[in-house]
Amino acid sequence: MVNIMKLYQYGCSVSLGEEATICYGELVASQFGFEFVQLSESSASNPHIALKFCETYTAITPKDFVIFGWSHPNRQSWYNNRDERWEHMNYVQGKKSGSALVDSCKDYLVNQHSDYIEHVHTWYPRHIVETTCKLNNLRYMHVDCVPGMVNTLGADGSNKESKSKYIADHLHPNDEGHRYIHSLLQEELSLLLR
């Protein structure tokens, strides 16, 4: 029985490849001969990305590779007990009425947002996944997708030429944007996947 090396990708809609036919993780998997396992979710918060990894990491072996595509630290996730599923509140767009806890989350985003919360939602999910990876000898890398990569691609409006070339809508990379993210990861990948 041959063990196929897998690339596991966790993240939000950017890592998912929403508004594109490919995503940067698929390109990395193809480049290095990994089977691609997509575990990203649209609008996922950083704490949820870490939780999803913690719920699934036991399937990952030291031969595999993990990419964490981090989202904006203001995003929130909660478990909808009524529907028995996770829901995510995008830090910018509202959710449809009827989703559990939407009003509470909107109130939280408006009234509790602070630099401290952004900092907490940046460092502790990374700390959790890094510690888990190190304890289990798992290879991994971080990709700062929102706001990092999407702003590099021009989503913030600072470079209209770049935005028209790489961004499909207000935020999400198109196919060329994912190819560009893939190219930006090459130096780190060459160190991690020799």
Side-chain angles (χ1 to χ4, degrees):
M1 180 174 179
V2 176
N3 277 346
I4 298 174
M5 295 186 307
K6 296 179 181 177
L7 185 149
Y8 291 82
Q9 183 170 18
Y10 297 84
C12 65
S13 56
V14 173
S15 297
L16 185 61
E18 202 166 287
E19 305 296 331
T21 62
I22 58 168
C23 68
Y24 66 89
E26 284 178 285
L27 295 169
V28 173
S30 177
Q31 176 185 359
F32 290 96
F34 289 101
E35 178 183 321
F36 184 62
V37 180
Q38 178 62 275
L39 294 169
S40 302
E41 296 180 28
S42 185
S43 296
S45 66
N46 288 339
H48 181 75
I49 292 166
L51 174 65
K52 182 117 181 181
F53 170 70
C54 289
E55 290 178 337
T56 58
Y57 82 89
T58 57
I60 304 171
T61 73
K63 291 183 179 182
D64 298 327
F65 188 65
V66 183
I67 296 178
F68 297 103
W70 296 108
S71 188
H72 197 284
N74 274 350
R75 285 183 169 170
Q76 301 297 316
S77 299
W78 62 91
Y79 187 75
N80 180 334
N81 200 34
R82 180 182 57 218
D83 294 338
E84 296 182 345
R85 65 182 173 88
W86 280 94
E87 294 181 342
H88 310 294
M89 173 67 80
N90 189 316
Y91 75 105
V92 173
Q93 71 192 45
K95 286 286 201 179
K96 294 178 183 174
S97 297
S99 293
L101 303 175
V102 167
D103 290 338
S104 296
C105 286
K106 285 181 180 179
D107 183 59
Y108 173 85
L109 292 174
V110 170
N111 296 304
Q112 299 297 315
H113 168 68
S114 67
D115 290 340
Y116 171 74
I117 293 298
E118 281 198 15
H119 177 69
V120 167
H121 285 183
T122 298
W123 75 262
Y124 91 81
R126 289 180 191 233
H127 176 71
I128 290 167
V129 302
E130 284 178 3
T131 302
T132 303
C133 285
K134 288 174 184 175
L135 287 172
N136 291 280
N137 297 313
L138 303 179
R139 300 181 295 171
Y140 67 95
M141 75 180 296
H142 298 293
V143 178
D144 178 17
C145 289
V146 183
M149 284 295 179
V150 296
N151 283 351
T152 297
L153 300 177
D156 63 355
S158 62
N159 185 332
K160 292 190 187 314
E161 184 179 319
S162 180
K163 184 174 183 175
S164 67
K165 182 175 181 180
Y166 297 124
I167 299 294
D169 57 10
H170 68 285
L171 176 73
H172 300 101
N174 58 22
D175 288 353
E176 285 305 309
H178 281 280
R179 287 186 187 94
Y180 187 55
I181 292 171
H182 176 248
S183 73
L184 294 174
L185 301 178
Q186 290 306 300
E187 185 176 342
E188 186 174 356
L189 287 168
S190 70
L191 298 172
L192 296 171
L193 296 173
R194 298 180 219 191

